[in-house]
Structures are given as C-alpha cells and as structure tokens.
Amino acid sequence: MSLKRAIFAYQQAFFFPVNLPIGSRVAQAEQLLATLFAQSAFTRIPEENLQTGLLRVAEWIVEHGGIDGLSRNDLKKMPWFLFEDLGEGMTLANFPSVLPEWLRWFREHPSSGTLSVLLYQALMKSLPPEQLTLLHPVLHESIAGNRHPKWQLWKERCDRFHLLASDGPSRLADRIYQGSLTFEIFCREAGFSGELASGGFVQQALLLLLRRMRSYTDRNAGLKIEQLKALLNGFRDQQGRFLQILPGFKAQLADLLLQPFVDREPEANLKNLVRDFLVKNLGDPRTHPAAWQSVDPKARQVMSLWLSGRPSRVDDKLWMFVEEANKQIAGLEMDFYQLRNESPSVSSNLLQQAMQRLNAIVGVAQFFNLFEVINPCKMIEATLDQIQKKNKTTDSTTMDELFDRLGLLQSAVQDVPGFLFHA
C-alpha cells in the first residue's frame, strides 16, 4: 500500500458514527463494557504531575540515601526533577552524590529524549558552577556521540557559541559588545527560541553585557556610534520589534544608556541615537509613564530634558508616517521593476499608481515639514511626468535615475529627525 493510500485509510477510520445501532456487535460490546465498569469498583489511576513525582522521588532518595532502587522510568525523568525547587532553594542536585550518581547512570543508559531535557535544563536554569562543571562534559560527550542530524546541529551550535563552556555567557557578552554578533542573530542561529531566549544562559550573558556597557561612552573602551546602533538594533527581531527578553530589561538598558549624561551633555549624534531608540521601544515618558517607572529618576529627567519642546505624541504620529512611507516605497520599487520590463508604450495605469504612492508620502511629509523626504519625491514625480508625456522612455538610463532617486527617498525616510530606529 502506498503512503498516500495508507494516510487516507487512517483518516477514514475516524469517520464511523459515534452512536452505532444497538444491533451492531461493536455497539453491544461497548454497552457491555460500560455496564461492567459502572458495576465494578474500577477507578482510574491518577496521573502524576511534576510536583508529586518530585516529592515521591525526593522521599525515596532521603530514605535510601541515593538513587539506587528507583525505577528506570523515574531515572529517565530525573532531568526534570534534579533542578526543581523543593523549597528554600533546595534541589535534588544539591543532595550529596545524587547528580554524579545519576550522570553515571545516564552515561550507561543514554537516550535522545533524556538528553534533550538535560540540555534544555542546563541552558534554561541558572545553575551553580559546580553543577555545570559536572553537566557540561557529559552533555558534550553525549551530543558529540549521537549521529542524528538534530544532535549534529546542536553540536555545531554548542561549539560555535560555547554553550557548554563555563565562560560561554562571558564570551557571548564580549562578542555582542564588540559587534561581531547581535543578540537577535545569536537567538536565531543558536536555536534559542521561546523560553530559552530568557533562560539562565541568556540571563547571565545579558547581565555581563550590561556591566560591559557601563563604559560605553568611554573614549578608550567605549563604542562608536555605528557600533552602539548595531548593538541596540540587535535587540529587535526581523520585523523591528523589541525582543521580549527578560522582565525589566528595557528599563535597565534605558537606565544604563542615560546615566552617563546626568551631569554632562552628549554629542548630537549620540544623543539622537539614544533618544530615538528609547522613544521607539519604551515610548515617551510623558505619555508612557508606566514603562519608565523602573528607570532611575535622574535618568528619566535626562530623557525629559531631551524631549522638552517636542509634542508629546509626535512619536506615535511620526511612526505611523514612517511605516506607511516604507510600504509605499516598497510598492514604488515593484512599479519601477514593472516599468523597466514593460514595452515602450508604458501603461498609463501603472504610472498613475506610482504617482498616487508618491502623493501619499508627500501629503504627510508636508504636514511634518520633512523637506528631505519631499524633495526626492518631487524629483521622481518629475521623471514619471516626463515618461507619461512621452518626453522620456523607460530605457536603462531613465530607470537607473528612478532607482537612484528611490534610494535617496528611502534614506530620507530612514533618517527622519528623531527616528533613526524605524520599523
């Protein structure tokens, strides 16, 4: 039987009517079983959750002085139990000899499922160095010895990002600070999605990164404007949204970025960069006070001074413009590609569509007096008008001119004053 026919047969197996006629043998058997269960003292065995299983295994270990005698099923579940809090910060891994004994058992009884949980726990939990020292060699050995493509990929990730090294978080913090890696790329390429992106390994790395960044304005050990911009952009996903990393991380970052300027004024480019990043990701402190509540009052005061004299809702309005302008620019690029590929008799509808896109950008740009945006729009409009009047053709020279001016327009939108961090 082919796979397609087998899947079809499997799907059809669920289409039998639920309430079969009582004359059917299946229905009679079902009724008989229901009657027998109703008359018997049958009770369903309760399913054990993590907490009850943990307490049961902990009682066994305390009573028997170790893991000897635990069932194979319990031993396979031990990665879930070992690092779970029993109260007052105590875990099974803190019990003398429990972790070493279980790791010896795991080496003799390896399984992919148990290895997955153990690796997850090692990266997710904030474990003490002495426990990681025991875990890392076993994990490294087990991952390297597994030829499955999944584990070969994890071996490459562990080697590349030092995930199973005691100084792994420190190395990650250094690479992000120095600009050889962004946080977003690390999460994507190291497989740190979901909870792992805010787990123990990442928490430790970001804590070390924040410590490094305290001197980011220092002339010798600090960061250049482009380096800082790349570092900050690395905390946003591919859609431009700030990654949900750790609770309070954005406030800590805001505090760190503003503290150097409590008693001095930054250079204009640095001031614009820091201000724009924080307005984009935390909002204006005058209109989003809750987001700024955890930031030091002195740092908040710096931000308020930087924003003084600016309309309190200008950030939202300008962002709506930037997002809309970027959509229209993407549409214009597609129109220009069509113009380049059209016959000499260019469709008037296509030219009209491109004109409408330009007018949509210019209309709002005029409201904000964004002449740097309006000027390239006018240049593009003039060229399109000449094409429409048959004064120009869509030859390579004309199209190169249009694409060059479109690039100028895109740069102008990206450099809208006060909004370097566009979506």
Side-chain angles (χ1 to χ4, degrees):
M1 181 184 291
S2 70
L3 177 60
K4 184 176 180 180
R5 290 182 62 189
I7 292 173
F8 178 80
Y10 176 80
Q11 290 173 335
Q12 299 307 307
F14 290 92
F15 293 146
F16 289 112
V18 177
N19 297 316
L20 295 171
I22 202 67
S24 141
R25 292 183 180 179
V26 175
Q28 289 175 356
E30 185 177 305
Q31 188 180 54
L32 179 58
L33 284 170
T35 305
L36 288 172
F37 281 128
Q39 294 172 352
S40 70
F42 170 79
T43 55
R44 182 182 294 276
I45 299 173
E47 294 184 6
E48 187 177 66
N49 59 29
L50 175 63
Q51 194 60 31
T52 55
L54 171 63
L55 293 175
R56 179 178 54 77
V57 169
E59 288 174 2
W60 174 278
I61 290 174
V62 170
E63 183 179 347
H64 296 83
I67 64 173
D68 286 343
L70 284 173
S71 69
R72 181 182 179 86
N73 191 41
D74 284 335
L75 290 169
K76 289 178 70 174
K77 292 180 182 177
M78 280 296 281
W80 290 119
F81 298 148
L82 280 167
F83 313 107
E84 198 67 23
D85 188 14
L86 289 165
E88 299 181 356
M90 190 64 180
T91 66
L92 289 180
N94 295 135
F95 286 31
S97 78
V98 167
L99 184 57
E101 284 181 15
W102 182 82
L103 289 173
R104 279 195 295 272
W105 177 89
F106 174 68
R107 273 192 164 115
E108 296 170 3
H109 306 84
S111 83
S112 185
T114 309
L115 178 58
S116 293
V117 180
L118 189 61
L119 177 62
Y120 173 84
Q121 296 287 67
L123 298 174
M124 185 66 196
K125 301 285 188 180
S126 296
L127 301 180
E130 58 272 16
Q131 292 179 11
L132 291 174
T133 301
L134 292 172
L135 285 171
H136 284 164
V138 176
L139 282 167
H140 188 79
E141 173 189 318
S142 301
I143 292 170
N146 196 314
R147 307 312 301 170
H148 192 280
K150 165 189 170 181
W151 291 112
Q152 289 302 296
L153 174 59
W154 270 107
K155 180 182 183 302
E156 188 272 331
R157 289 168 174 169
C158 291
D159 292 344
R160 180 181 171 191
F161 298 109
H162 308 282
L163 302 181
L164 300 179
S166 57
D167 61 348
S170 176
R171 291 192 185 199
L172 175 59
D174 287 342
R175 290 183 65 185
I176 293 174
Y177 186 79
Q178 292 163 4
S180 63
L181 181 69
T182 70
F183 182 74
E184 187 273 331
I185 290 176
F186 163 75
C187 289
R188 178 157 40 91
E189 298 188 0
F192 275 54
S193 59
E195 291 182 326
L196 276 183
S198 58
F201 185 94
V202 168
Q203 287 181 26
Q204 191 175 352
L206 291 181
L207 179 64
L208 293 168
L209 176 63
L210 290 175
R211 288 178 184 170
R212 283 289 308 268
M213 287 184 66
R214 287 174 186 169
S215 59
Y216 84 97
T217 59
D218 187 274
R219 290 186 177 181
N220 298 319
L223 296 171
K224 296 179 181 178
I225 295 288
E226 289 305 314
Q227 287 178 310
L228 178 62
K229 185 177 179 180
L231 189 156
L232 296 176
N233 262 325
F235 290 118
R236 303 194 302 159
D237 63 20
Q238 292 175 305
Q239 286 72 47
R241 297 166 301 194
F242 195 90
L243 293 165
Q244 299 299 317
I245 309 171
L246 304 173
F249 178 76
K250 283 195 283 190
Q252 292 180 56
L253 189 57
D255 196 60
L256 183 147
L257 291 171
L258 294 169
Q259 282 294 344
F261 311 117
V262 169
D263 53 5
R264 66 183 176 92
E265 185 69 13
E267 60 178 272
N269 289 340
L270 179 57
K271 174 182 175 179
N272 290 339
L273 175 63
V274 172
R275 181 192 63 196
D276 299 345
F277 176 78
L278 295 177
V279 168
K280 171 59 181 170
N281 294 293
L282 269 82
D284 189 321
R286 297 168 293 179
T287 57
H288 301 78
W292 287 82
Q293 191 172 3
S294 300
V295 180
D296 185 272
K298 291 182 180 179
R300 284 205 307 269
Q301 181 64 21
V302 171
M303 191 64 176
S304 297
L305 290 172
W306 288 357
L307 292 169
S308 61
R310 291 162 55 93
S312 61
R313 299 301 297 182
V314 74
D315 54 322
D316 293 341
K317 291 177 182 176
L318 265 178
W319 270 107
M320 289 174 64
F321 164 70
V322 170
E323 290 175 354
E324 182 59 29
N326 282 330
K327 289 179 186 176
Q328 299 297 347
I329 288 170
L332 277 169
E333 188 173 23
M334 293 176 62
D335 293 342
F336 289 174
Y337 278 118
Q338 283 186 263
L339 283 174
R340 188 170 65 181
N341 298 327
E342 287 254 354
S343 61
S345 56
V346 175
S347 165
S348 60
N349 290 337
L350 186 58
L351 288 169
Q352 191 63 31
Q353 178 177 275
M355 293 280 202
Q356 288 172 354
R357 295 187 196 279
L358 283 171
N359 290 335
I361 298 173
V362 171
V364 185
Q366 285 176 335
F367 176 81
F368 289 111
N369 294 321
L370 300 174
F371 299 109
E372 297 84 356
V373 174
I374 295 170
N375 291 337
C377 286
K378 292 297 184 184
M379 290 191 292
I380 294 172
E381 187 178 14
T383 303
L384 292 176
D385 186 56
Q386 287 184 306
I387 295 172
Q388 196 169 36
K389 292 177 178 177
K390 311 296 184 185
N391 295 331
K392 275 194 174 186
T393 61
T394 53
D395 58 16
S396 59
T397 303
T398 302
M399 293 313 302
D400 286 345
E401 177 185 304
L402 280 174
F403 278 110
D404 287 344
R405 289 174 177 177
L406 185 65
L408 292 175
L409 173 58
Q410 193 168 25
S411 298
V413 171
Q414 292 174 359
D415 293 334
V416 167
F419 289 87
L420 299 174
F421 288 86
H422 57 89

